[in-house]
């Protein structure tokens, strides 16, 4: 993916795929093991003494990092939208309701993010597979137009919950095309692992659809019952939320 197809100027509300500077932390074991690719992220180690409670110490590491927002846009306005709807049901004018909830800094404070790891930190022999997006759990990124960081991988195996107010700076947003690719990478890592589309479609060629089952419980799946009694399971594509909610970070 070329840089021009990937990045947009940082603007508007917090979006999935935004690239930020923010602190990240995680809990580690007492032996202080750190995967090589995370070594540069671990800038400060903290030991939390729990002896007065009869518990072993908790070890954490923290550091500032270039991160990508991985939580979906619906998450970023969930409380904002719920409070606005509550005010409107109570008789408040919709524009006034938006103004009121915009002033509440405690709504939707948290989001999830994963760190950007320079591709050069990975084994040279495997970089081609990472760059092509073939390795589950990683999302490849080209260097941005201003070359502010090198070619990187978003490490989806490392996620951290971050407070909005802890963000230092937003550097870039993803284009809609790149954001769709990110959503598929997240879905593949979290749920699907592999997506065998070609084989499923080939097996269905020449068959007739005799029934359709749409899961209305919130699932992403649609099942097509074919005339040979086989079932073709499809996944609905990820989409952007409807316009609304916050208009700023």
């Amino acid at each position: 993916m070329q840089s021009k197809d990937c990045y947009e100027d940082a603007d508007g509300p917090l979006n999935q795929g935004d690239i930020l500077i923010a602190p990240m932390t995680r809990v580690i074991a007492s032996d202080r093991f750190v995967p090589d690719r995370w070594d540069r992220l671990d800038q400060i180690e903290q030991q939390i003494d729990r002896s007065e409670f009869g518990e072993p110490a908790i070890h954490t590491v923290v550091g500032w990092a270039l991160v990508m927002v991985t939580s979906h846009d619906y998450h970023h306005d969930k409380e904002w939208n719920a409070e606005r709807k509550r005010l409107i049901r109570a008789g408040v004018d919709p524009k006034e309701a938006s103004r009121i909830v915009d002033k509440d800094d405690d709504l939707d404070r948290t989001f999830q993010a994963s760190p950007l790891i320079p591709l050069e930190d990975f084994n040279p022999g495997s970089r081609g597979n990472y760059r092509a997006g073939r390795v589950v759990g990683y999302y490849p990124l080209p260097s941005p137009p201003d070359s502010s960081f090198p070619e990187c991988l978003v490490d989806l195996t490392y996620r951290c919950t971050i407070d909005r107010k802890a963000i230092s700076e937003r550097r870039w947003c993803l284009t809609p095309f790149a954001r769709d690719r990110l959503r598929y990478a997240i879905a593949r890592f979290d749920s699907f692992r592999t997506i065998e589309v070609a084989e499923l479609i080939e097996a269905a060629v020449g068959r007739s659809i005799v029934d359709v089952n749409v899961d209305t419980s919130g699932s992403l799946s649609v099942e097509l019952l074919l005339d040979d009694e086989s079932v073709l399971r499809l996944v609905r594509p990820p989409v952007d939320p409807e316009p609304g909610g916050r208009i700023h970070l």
Side-chain angles (χ1 to χ4, degrees), residues 11 18 20 50 57 105-106 127 136 165 202 235 238 249:
D11 192 22
D18 283 0
L20 319 166
R50 300 285 295 176
D105 289 339
D106 290 336
R127 289 175 190 171
V136 176
K165 291 188 176 182
E202 288 174 1
V235 178
L249 183 62

Side-chain angles (χ1 to χ4, degrees), residues 66-85:
L66 200 61
V67 305
M68 174 171 285
V69 178
T70 54
S71 46
H72 195 278
D73 296 344
Y74 284 113
H75 170 79
H76 305 148
D77 283 327
K78 190 173 183 178
E79 295 172 359
W80 191 97
N81 285 320
E83 179 62 11
R84 180 177 180 272
K85 289 177 181 177

